[in-house]
Amino acid sequence: MRFRDLLRPLWHFSHSAPPSPPTSETRAAALDAASSELVTATALGDGEESVRAAAIRKLPDGTVLRRLAGLSDGTTPPVSSHFERIAQERVAQLIGAGAIDFADLGASTGNTTAMLSVAALCSDPAHLPRILTSIDDPQRLATLVIEGSSSRMRQLAAQSIEDPAELTRLLKQVRGKDKSVYKIIKQKCDVLRAEEQRIARVASDVAALCASLERHSHRVYDALYATSFKLFHEQWQTFEPQAAPEIKDRALLAIDRCRDVIAGHMRQVAQRAEEEAQQAARKASREQATALAEMETQRRNEAAALAAAEAAALRETEEKARTEKLAAEALALRQVGGLIGKANSALREGNTARAAGLRRAVEERLPTVPAARAFLASQVLQLDIKLHELKEWKDYAVAPKRAELIEEMEALVGSTEAPKALADRIKRLQDEWKTISKGIVSDSEADWQRFHQASHAAYQPCREYFEAQARLRQENVEKRRLVLERLRAFENSQSGEHPDWRAVTAVLREAPQEWRRHSPVDRAAGLAIQEEFDASIDRLQGRLDSWYAHNLAEKKSLILRAQHLRTKGDSSEAVEAVKRLQLLWKNVGAAQRDQEQRLWDEFRGQCDAVFQKRQQVHAEFAAGLEANRRQAATLCEEAEQLAAISGTAFLEGVAKIPQWRADFDALAEVPRADLRGLRDRFERALARCQVQVSQMRERDKERSFTNLLEAARLIHAYGWAVAQGGASSDLEALKQAAEIYIAGVQQWPKGGAQALKEAWVKAHASSDSDMVANETALRMLCIRSEIFTDRPTPPEDHTLRRVYQVQRLVRSMGQRGEDSPDDLDAFGLAWVRVGPVSAATHETLLARFLRCRTSRGVAVSHSGSVA
């Protein structure tokens, strides 16, 4: 020990230090009993930061506290953000305690930024969104989304923004920074985008409907005019609330024109009806006057001739009546006889229906016969007998089949069969009923009514289905008409010199598909628009075919020019010319699909022939690149093999690393695709070697500390025996064991040898009075190590740990830094310098100390101890 080190304790003894000034903790604690004026003065003063901060935390609600927190204007000098934050925390604390009403504070404060900071610090989470809702400046909200002090503030600010442009701008700025905020803005943008798409679709439908109304308003009235207008008008009433003002004006004007057309037609109809009624009235009046005149003339003539003709007429009438009566009777007799003959003929043929009809005709004519002849009555009786027998026989044969048909028809009521198949089955049963009823006049009207009602009920689903099909065909006609109108509009838009051929191709492919989707249609109604559609498609296809033909000629010309360049050999001029031809090829439009690939293959073959020799040079260059790649891979493999070994071979191989790096850097060009991978592989291998070197050094260092602690344990055991007055032989054995162990260690950590010398000095001079101090010193080293490594301290040392932490806090307030900063290696050297303690205590404390070293990633081992 140097001479000045020996004199230093004497110098401290002779020069006692003056009493130290009160610490900042003492002054801060004194504020608890100080007056409010002193607390306010300290908070507004320029003293130590810790004291001033403590004074701010004790301020009551008032002007000073609100000015410091930035919540009100005043003459208070500006404060740092640190003190402003403390004042805002104090305001939030008072709000949570109920001393300050948050709503009143927000109403009296004009600084929204400060209020946001206070709301974020409050214990009530509802305060922050309440402040954010009061901000109506989108730029301010956008700033909070990016620069908000907390994630919750940024999220609430993002939820408050509704401007689409601002949301789109913020989405780019927060990407990759705050996932929760990005998710909120992304969801808002998705909702806005979906709404825009919906509005666009509605606008398109509204525009199409408005155009249909306008076209309809210019049509001439026909039989379907009113029905079509009703359909368009009902559709417009659905879309009208969502239509733009200009579209709404156009549609309403078109609706008024349509109504004018209908009203004009109705006026014309009424006018024509009125004219026809007037003409009929005039004609009737003329005819009535003429008839009256004729009747009067006729009456006079008849009155003049009536007297002369009455006698002759009476005689003639009586003669004529007698003659007619005889003729009628003869005719009736002949007719009845003929009807009876026809009925018998029908019975012979088995046609009971015709026979029954003829029998009814006979019954009707019998009253006209003045007196029934005996032979006629006999013939009628025989006819009735034969007709009755035949009807009974046929009715007996057909009745089961009729019952079967009724049952089948009733079974079809409520059937789930397809309407078309169901209609076919009903039609088949009705045809069978007609077939079996042919020639039969059945007395069972109830069977027919039952069959008819069942047919009507079973056919109801078919009737609804066919009506729906009719409506569907009508709707498809209208949809096809809309497709035709869009096709015509597209054809007109592409009538210029430079049409969009890609769009033309797409329309020629998609328009027929959409046209076919709108089927079925009524043949008569759809034939006219089908012809117009086909004509428009043919015109577009013709223009596209002409464009294809022009492109085909251009590409064939380029192929001939490329073929001509093959004769010039592999010159640079030919290569550049081929490149120019390739650029021209890209600018030429497409040919037809079945020709495009064949033309391209032919053109590429001509170009490949020009580049063939140049590829040979490229192959030689690639071979050189491959050789360099293999050499680089070899260097990587050598470095990886070195990183996989250890021990003496590893240490010998480390010396080759500089040469390997020089060889790798000296390599010529390497394939670009492999360069980065090889360089990364080489650097990773060298990095593993460097890590292994560092680990070896760390292990050597830790081994040296392990040896140092073991040597200290042996020295402490010797010192404990000295303090306990052990036998000389035992002391000599313990001392010799320590010296032998120390002599066998080749390397100590820096400062380790000096620490062991100091340990020997304390061991030789140890006594019982030092044991308590030594144990306390070791416990303090364990506590400091546990604090440094964030490990818990056993319950028996909690008091020591709190005392140490308070002392360190006091020292940190009065000084810039500690005299001996915390470090596990420094703790290890300090451990060695501490005097001896009992073996059991030493082992327990050493185990705690070694666990702290292990928790820092250092592998520590000790004989008889577990880290």
Side-chain angles (χ1 to χ4, degrees):
M1 185 177 293
R2 291 177 293 184
F3 181 71
R4 62 180 181 180
D5 294 333
L6 294 173
L7 294 180
R8 185 173 299 164
L10 298 176
W11 185 87
H12 281 290
F13 181 78
S14 59
H15 297 80
S16 60
S20 59
T23 63
S24 57
E25 287 78 5
T26 304
R27 293 195 297 274
L31 292 174
D32 293 333
S35 62
S36 59
E37 292 78 6
L38 179 59
V39 173
T40 302
T42 305
L44 295 175
D46 55 356
E48 294 186 13
E49 291 186 359
S50 59
V51 178
R52 189 177 177 187
I56 295 174
R57 291 189 179 96
K58 300 181 184 301
L59 285 174
D61 180 31
T63 305
V64 175
L65 178 61
R66 296 193 181 191
R67 289 178 180 175
L68 290 174
L71 297 174
S72 64
D73 299 331
T75 58
T76 304
V79 296
S80 64
S81 59
H82 173 66
F83 291 129
E84 185 179 32
R85 179 75 172 182
I86 294 173
Q88 291 170 354
E89 292 175 354
R90 175 60 176 167
V91 173
Q93 180 183 3
L94 293 175
I95 291 173
I100 298 177
D101 184 79
F102 184 82
D104 294 340
L105 180 63
S108 61
T109 300
N111 190 345
T112 310
T113 303
M115 278 301 299
L116 285 172
S117 300
V118 171
L121 295 171
C122 288
S123 58
D124 189 352
H127 292 331
L128 184 58
R130 192 176 305 161
I131 294 298
L132 284 172
T133 53
S134 65
I135 300 176
D136 54 359
D137 185 5
Q139 295 297 329
R140 182 68 182 281
L141 290 173
T143 303
L144 290 175
V145 171
I146 303 299
E147 303 176 359
S149 58
S150 65
S151 178
R152 183 167 176 268
M153 182 184 296
R154 294 192 294 271
Q155 293 173 13
L156 292 173
Q159 292 173 355
S160 301
I161 294 179
E162 300 297 338
D163 185 16
E166 195 66 34
L167 287 171
T168 304
R169 184 181 66 82
L170 289 174
L171 185 64
K172 298 178 181 179
Q173 295 184 359
V174 301
R175 183 181 286 113
K177 295 181 180 179
D178 192 328
K179 292 184 179 179
S180 59
V181 175
Y182 178 78
K183 184 177 180 180
I184 292 172
I185 297 179
K186 181 66 165 59
Q187 291 175 350
K188 283 179 168 285
C189 290
D190 292 342
V191 171
L192 291 173
R193 191 175 299 110
E195 181 63 18
E196 291 176 356
Q197 293 174 356
R198 186 192 68 80
I199 292 173
R201 289 194 300 271
V202 171
S204 177
D205 295 341
V206 169
L209 181 57
C210 179
S212 298
L213 282 169
E214 290 177 338
R215 287 191 301 273
H216 194 70
S217 67
H218 294 293
R219 287 176 53 194
V220 179
Y221 188 91
D222 55 13
L224 297 177
Y225 191 92
T227 304
S228 301
F229 171 70
K230 181 180 179 182
L231 177 62
F232 289 145
H233 188 252
E234 290 175 352
Q235 294 178 354
W236 172 253
Q237 288 177 338
T238 303
F239 288 113
E240 183 177 7
Q242 306 173 14
E246 60 276 7
I247 297 295
K248 184 180 297 184
D249 294 340
R250 289 169 50 196
L252 293 177
L253 182 60
I255 290 173
D256 292 339
R257 286 200 300 266
C258 291
R259 288 173 175 170
D260 292 342
V261 171
I262 295 174
H265 172 72
M266 297 303 295
R267 287 194 299 271
Q268 292 176 0
V269 171
Q271 185 177 0
R272 285 197 299 270
E274 184 178 359
E275 292 176 354
E276 291 174 357
Q278 292 175 357
Q279 292 176 359
R282 288 193 296 270
K283 182 178 180 181
S285 179
R286 290 193 300 270
E287 290 177 351
Q288 185 178 7
T290 304
L292 289 175
E294 292 177 351
M295 288 174 64
E296 182 64 21
T297 303
Q298 184 178 0
R299 187 184 63 80
R300 286 195 299 267
N301 294 334
E302 288 177 354
L306 181 61
E310 282 181 355
L314 180 60
R315 290 191 299 271
E316 185 179 355
T317 300
E318 291 176 352
E319 183 66 23
K320 184 178 179 181
R322 187 176 64 82
T323 305
E324 289 178 353
K325 179 179 180 182
L326 293 174
E329 290 176 355
L331 177 62
L333 185 61
R334 288 194 303 272
Q335 289 178 346
V336 170
L339 291 173
I340 292 174
K342 292 179 180 179
N344 288 325
S345 178
L347 288 176
R348 286 192 296 272
E349 295 174 359
N351 192 341
T352 58
R354 186 166 182 273
L358 293 171
R359 176 62 183 84
R360 286 192 297 271
V362 169
E363 188 68 22
E364 293 174 355
R365 296 296 179 92
L366 282 177
T368 61
V369 180
R373 304 292 189 271
F375 73 93
L376 188 63
S378 175
Q379 291 179 357
V380 171
L381 179 60
Q382 291 177 2
L383 175 63
D384 290 341
I385 293 172
K386 292 179 182 179
L387 178 62
H388 182 69
E389 290 176 353
L390 186 59
K391 283 174 60 178
E392 286 184 349
W393 183 84
K394 279 195 171 183
D395 192 45
Y396 175 78
V398 173
K401 181 61 176 178
R402 188 163 54 236
E404 180 182 348
L405 292 177
I406 292 173
E407 292 177 358
E408 289 186 19
M409 184 63 75
E410 290 177 343
L412 293 180
V413 177
S415 174
T416 58
E417 195 172 354
K420 288 185 177 180
L422 181 60
D424 292 340
R425 292 188 61 184
I426 294 173
K427 181 66 168 59
R428 180 177 58 80
L429 293 178
Q430 290 175 341
D431 292 341
E432 290 184 11
W433 182 277
K434 292 179 181 179
T435 300
I436 65 173
S437 299
K438 186 175 182 181
I440 298 177
V441 179
S442 176
D443 296 333
S444 181
E445 180 66 18
D447 290 346
W448 161 245
Q449 292 297 332
R450 181 179 172 187
F451 181 80
H452 178 69
Q453 292 175 1
S455 301
H456 184 77
Y459 190 73
Q460 184 60 30
C462 304
R463 184 179 297 106
E464 296 174 356
Y465 170 76
F466 291 127
E467 289 176 356
Q469 287 294 310
R471 290 194 299 270
L472 177 61
R473 288 191 293 271
Q474 181 62 29
E475 292 174 358
N476 288 332
V477 168
E478 295 299 327
K479 292 179 180 179
R480 282 193 172 186
R481 185 174 287 109
L482 293 177
V483 173
L484 177 60
E485 291 174 358
R486 294 203 304 271
L487 181 62
R488 287 174 174 173
F490 176 79
E491 183 181 2
N492 293 333
S493 66
Q494 303 296 325
S495 59
E497 297 181 357
H498 302 287
D500 186 353
W501 297 112
R502 187 186 300 272
V504 171
T505 305
V507 167
L508 288 174
R509 181 181 65 254
E510 296 172 1
Q513 295 176 359
E514 184 176 359
W515 184 269
R516 287 191 293 271
R517 282 198 297 269
H518 301 316
S519 61
V521 297
D522 288 333
R523 182 175 183 84
L527 184 60
I529 60 174
Q530 179 70 50
E531 294 176 353
E532 296 180 12
F533 178 81
D534 294 339
S536 180
I537 289 291
D538 292 341
R539 288 192 295 272
L540 287 175
Q541 186 65 51
R543 295 184 61 190
L544 182 63
D545 292 341
S546 300
W547 183 64
Y548 280 154
H550 174 74
N551 296 338
L552 176 63
E554 290 289 333
K555 291 189 174 184
K556 286 184 177 180
S557 174
L558 293 176
I559 292 173
L560 293 176
R561 292 169 63 182
Q563 185 178 5
H564 176 70
L565 290 175
R566 293 180 58 181
T567 59
K568 295 186 177 181
D570 189 17
S571 63
S572 59
E573 182 180 355
V575 171
E576 293 299 325
V578 165
K579 291 180 179 180
R580 289 192 295 270
L581 291 180
Q582 290 176 340
L583 293 176
L584 293 175
W585 183 278
K586 292 181 180 179
N587 294 329
V588 176
Q592 292 188 357
R593 183 174 298 180
D594 57 344
Q595 299 174 342
E596 181 67 27
Q597 187 61 40
R598 178 179 58 79
L599 294 171
W600 167 247
D601 291 340
E602 186 176 357
F603 179 73
R604 186 176 60 182
Q606 301 296 338
C607 296
D608 290 345
V610 176
F611 289 127
Q612 185 175 4
K613 291 184 179 180
R614 188 174 183 180
Q615 289 177 353
Q616 182 178 359
V617 176
H618 290 169
E620 296 175 355
F621 177 73
L625 293 179
E626 179 62 21
N628 294 335
R629 188 195 64 78
R630 289 196 296 270
Q631 186 177 355
T634 302
L635 292 174
C636 293
E637 292 174 358
E638 292 178 354
E640 290 169 347
Q641 292 173 1
L642 176 62
I645 62 176
S646 59
T648 306
F650 175 77
L651 295 176
E652 293 176 355
V654 169
K656 300 179 182 179
I657 290 179
Q659 183 60 40
W660 289 347
R661 182 173 292 280
D663 294 343
F664 194 91
D665 294 338
L667 288 175
E669 294 185 358
V670 179
R672 183 175 300 176
D674 301 327
L675 177 60
R676 184 171 182 177
L678 290 171
R679 184 173 296 280
D680 292 344
R681 178 183 173 188
F682 184 68
E683 294 296 338
R684 284 196 300 269
L686 295 186
R688 290 199 297 271
C689 293
Q690 185 62 37
V691 169
Q692 190 169 347
V693 171
S694 300
Q695 291 175 350
M696 290 179 64
R697 291 175 180 173
E698 189 64 30
R699 286 195 296 270
D700 292 342
K701 176 183 177 182
E702 189 55 36
R703 191 180 299 110
S704 66
F705 265 99
T706 302
N707 295 335
L708 179 64
L709 294 175
E710 178 62 19
R713 187 185 66 81
L714 295 174
I715 294 174
H716 290 168
Y718 167 74
W720 173 259
V722 171
Q724 298 300 318
S728 301
S729 59
D730 294 339
L731 294 176
E732 187 62 28
L734 291 172
K735 180 179 180 181
Q736 186 175 5
E739 290 177 346
I740 291 173
Y741 181 83
I742 292 171
V745 177
Q746 298 179 357
Q747 183 180 1
W748 302 104
K750 184 178 180 180
Q754 181 62 32
L756 289 176
K757 290 179 182 180
E758 297 179 13
W760 276 117
V761 173
K762 290 187 178 182
H764 291 314
S766 60
S767 62
D768 286 337
S769 60
D770 299 331
M771 297 306 160
V772 176
N774 293 340
E775 182 178 351
T776 302
L778 292 180
R779 288 185 182 276
M780 290 305 301
L781 288 174
C782 290
I783 290 172
R784 295 175 66 185
S785 301
E786 287 164 350
I787 293 174
F788 181 72
T789 57
D790 293 332
R791 289 183 60 84
T793 298
E796 62 270 15
D797 288 342
H798 282 177
T799 303
L800 283 176
R801 180 166 178 163
R802 285 195 295 269
V803 171
Y804 170 74
Q805 288 177 324
V806 171
Q807 292 176 353
R808 188 172 67 169
L809 178 62
V810 172
R811 288 196 303 272
S812 65
M813 291 181 178
Q815 301 178 4
R816 288 294 181 182
E818 297 183 1
D819 294 337
S820 56
D822 289 345
D823 181 76
L824 291 178
D825 294 342
F827 294 160
L829 296 176
W831 185 280
V832 174
R833 297 190 183 95
V834 176
V837 295
S838 65
T841 302
H842 187 274
E843 288 296 327
T844 301
L845 296 177
L846 182 59
R848 284 174 58 186
F849 185 71
L850 292 177
R851 280 195 294 270
C852 294
R853 291 186 65 87
T854 304
S855 67
R856 298 297 291 180
V858 180
V860 180
S861 62
H862 179 65
S863 60
S865 302
V866 179

